[in-house]
Amino acid sequence: KAAKGVKKIMDEQKQQLPDNVVLRMGVRGGGCSGFEYSLGFDSESNVNPVVDELAEAHGVKIAVDKKSLLYLNGTELDFYDGLDKRGFLFNNPNASGSCGCGSSFQV
């Protein structure tokens, strides 16, 4: 479902996105639980093999910086589209806890 959601957004925003677009996933310090997930689009030309890992899943190219990969290893990205909310969900086996909104976590 996440790949379909990403492809739909890419299709809707293709005029604003760079050529050779990749989905960039990451982790940064912050949030009420210590770490926040980051998710956005980037150009494949910005992917640095020294700093980033590049993969492809379900037809979507994904870039993750190696520091974030320590926290995201094994994480599944899902997409929820319900009456109450719509968005991406991180199912992270490395998280020992998360906040109520699900956008930050602790390890």
Side-chain angles (χ1 to χ4, degrees), residues 38-54:
S38 63
L39 191 63
F41 294 112
D42 200 355
S43 172
E44 191 172 351
S45 64
N46 290 334
V47 175
N48 180 341
V50 174
V51 180
D52 298 313
E53 290 287 331
L54 185 64

Side-chain angles (χ1 to χ4, degrees), residues 5-101:
V6 168
K7 289 176 185 178
K8 182 178 178 184
I9 293 168
M10 287 171 61
D11 207 37
E12 292 171 352
Q13 298 182 5
K14 61 183 164 191
Q15 300 296 332
Q16 294 88 10
L17 294 176
D19 293 333
N20 300 318
V21 68
V22 297
L23 179 68
R24 183 168 287 280
M25 295 175 61
V27 171
R28 60 180 174 239
C32 52
S33 293
F35 293 100
E36 292 180 313
Y37 297 110
S38 63
L39 191 63
F41 294 112
D42 200 355
S43 172
E44 191 172 351
S45 64
N46 290 334
V47 175
N48 180 341
V50 174
V51 180
D52 298 313
E53 290 287 331
L54 185 64
E56 188 168 333
H58 306 285
V60 176
K61 289 183 181 180
I62 304 164
V64 180
D65 68 89
K66 291 180 182 178
K67 288 182 182 178
S68 293
L69 192 58
L70 294 171
Y71 300 103
L72 294 175
N73 193 22
T75 298
E76 293 179 359
L77 187 63
D78 199 0
F79 185 77
Y80 179 80
D81 191 7
L83 294 174
D84 56 341
K85 65 180 177 177
R86 177 180 187 238
F88 293 96
L89 302 170
F90 290 81
N91 297 316
N92 187 345
N94 305 302
S96 62
S98 66
C99 65
C101 67

